[in-house]
Amino acid sequence: MKQAVDLLTERLNGLAPRLALVLGSGLGSLVEQVTDAVRIPYGELPGFPHSGVSGHAGALVAGHLSGQPVVVLAGRTHYYEHGNPAAMRPALEVLAGIGVDTLILTNAAGSLRTDMPPGSVMLIEDHINFSGTNPLIGESTDRRFVGLSEAYDRGLRDALEAAAAEAGVRLHKGIYMWFSGPSFETPAEIRMARTLGADAVGMSTVPEVILARFLGLRVAACSVITNLAAGMAAGELSHEETKDVAPRGGGELAKILDRFLRDGAAGR
Ligand code: HPA
């Protein structure tokens, strides 16, 4: 961990971003908008994940986005790739180690609401961990008992909502339910998820939120809706569809983040 922090600090050459962004499936294009970009493949950063999912690039890109210093994680690793829910822990520890205090996570998700169709963006207000696992299992200190009563930071949520309004982008709000994947859900599971209070389902983000709270980072997260969840529309779900549709909502999300960053909202 110290090795990666030192390496990154050296490569960043005085840039000290406090905000980190994690880009989900098909949302990687935002990284092209980073100026003065320093790009470091995860392979060069000790502890960083080797993401094997198509649609995920696997590089850290630091620089400026909409005038603000940022570090972007283009690509994450998922629990379903290896069965380790804590696989993003070293990367998040390194971010905290270089002074990042705010984390914005993005993902692609299936919608449980017909009024939130593919292409929509949803601000995650809270989550349901339906995976049966937790990234802090095995952590031996009492710090493992992390409170999640307000996991998604109120100030960041308000700022993102304000940014969306200013950008003229509709930002839905809802509850994200984490399924382990990699198979998609069944229609029966989606009916259950709805009964339990979910608005969207996906295969990521929740373990990172738990780890980030453990590390004391402020967290916000947004889902780009790529499909109506299983059983809600004709045809089978596919990762191809996720990758095809994500850039559409990703463009809307990028407008929100641009406004959010220009407003200097992360520093509030
Ligand atoms: N289910 C789970 N994860 C997803 C979905 C979905 O329908 N769409 C995109 N990611």
Side-chain angles (χ1 to χ4, degrees):
M1 144 80 176
K2 180 164 184 313
Q3 205 189 340
V5 169
D6 290 348
L7 190 149
L8 194 52
T9 306
E10 191 194 315
R11 292 285 299 272
L12 295 192
N13 196 20
L15 184 79
R18 289 178 53 195
L19 179 88
L21 270 171
V22 177
L23 303 182
S25 291
L27 304 174
S29 68
L30 205 63
V31 67
E32 285 148 31
Q33 291 168 34
V34 177
T35 53
D36 328 311
V38 177
R39 187 178 186 281
I40 312 175
Y42 288 167
E44 294 177 21
L45 290 165
F48 274 60
H50 308 277
S51 182
V53 186
S54 60
H56 288 261
L60 179 153
V61 180
H64 288 88
L65 196 57
S66 309
Q68 298 288 338
V70 293
V71 45
V72 179
L73 296 191
R76 54 154 61 90
T77 184
H78 304 78
Y79 175 60
Y80 62 71
E81 291 174 65
H82 34 61
N84 174 13
M88 288 293 285
R89 179 168 171 170
L92 295 176
E93 282 176 339
V94 169
L95 294 184
I98 63 159
V100 166
D101 60 15
T102 302
L103 183 68
I104 300 190
L105 299 147
T106 66
N107 62 44
S111 173
L112 272 62
R113 294 189 349 219
T114 49
D115 69 338
M116 190 167 67
S120 304
V121 185
M122 185 187 95
L123 178 68
I124 301 181
E125 295 186 287
D126 202 352
H127 71 231
I128 300 173
N129 177 357
F130 192 69
S131 69
T133 189
N134 190 296
L136 296 176
I137 291 175
E139 166 62 31
S140 55
T141 67
D142 276 357
R143 291 175 53 227
R144 63 187 156 195
F145 300 112
V146 176
L148 295 176
S149 307
E150 200 156 339
Y152 299 83
D153 187 83
R154 165 61 65 189
L156 292 176
R157 279 191 278 151
D158 288 348
L160 284 164
E161 281 197 79
E166 286 167 29
V169 176
R170 176 149 187 214
L171 183 59
H172 297 261
K173 291 190 276 187
I175 309 299
Y176 176 90
M177 191 161 180
W178 178 33
F179 282 81
S180 76
S183 57
F184 285 101
E185 301 74 27
T186 65
E189 286 165 348
I190 292 304
R191 288 192 294 274
M192 173 204 69
R194 188 178 295 111
T195 303
L196 295 180
D199 299 289
V201 292
M203 307 177 192
S204 69
T205 305
V206 167
E208 290 132 288
V209 170
I210 296 170
L211 288 164
R213 293 306 300 142
F214 172 71
L215 297 170
L217 305 179
R218 294 195 303 163
V219 176
C222 288
S223 292
V224 164
I225 301 300
T226 54
N227 56 280
L228 291 173
M232 292 177 65
E236 192 52 279
L237 301 182
S238 72
H239 187 54
E240 288 309 310
E241 178 180 50
T242 300
K243 287 190 291 183
D244 285 351
V245 181
R248 188 150 45 98
E252 296 301 287
L253 177 54
K255 289 184 202 165
I256 298 173
L257 293 174
D258 175 57
R259 212 49 265 174
F260 172 84
L261 291 167
R262 279 186 203 291
D263 288 348
R268 278 189 212 141

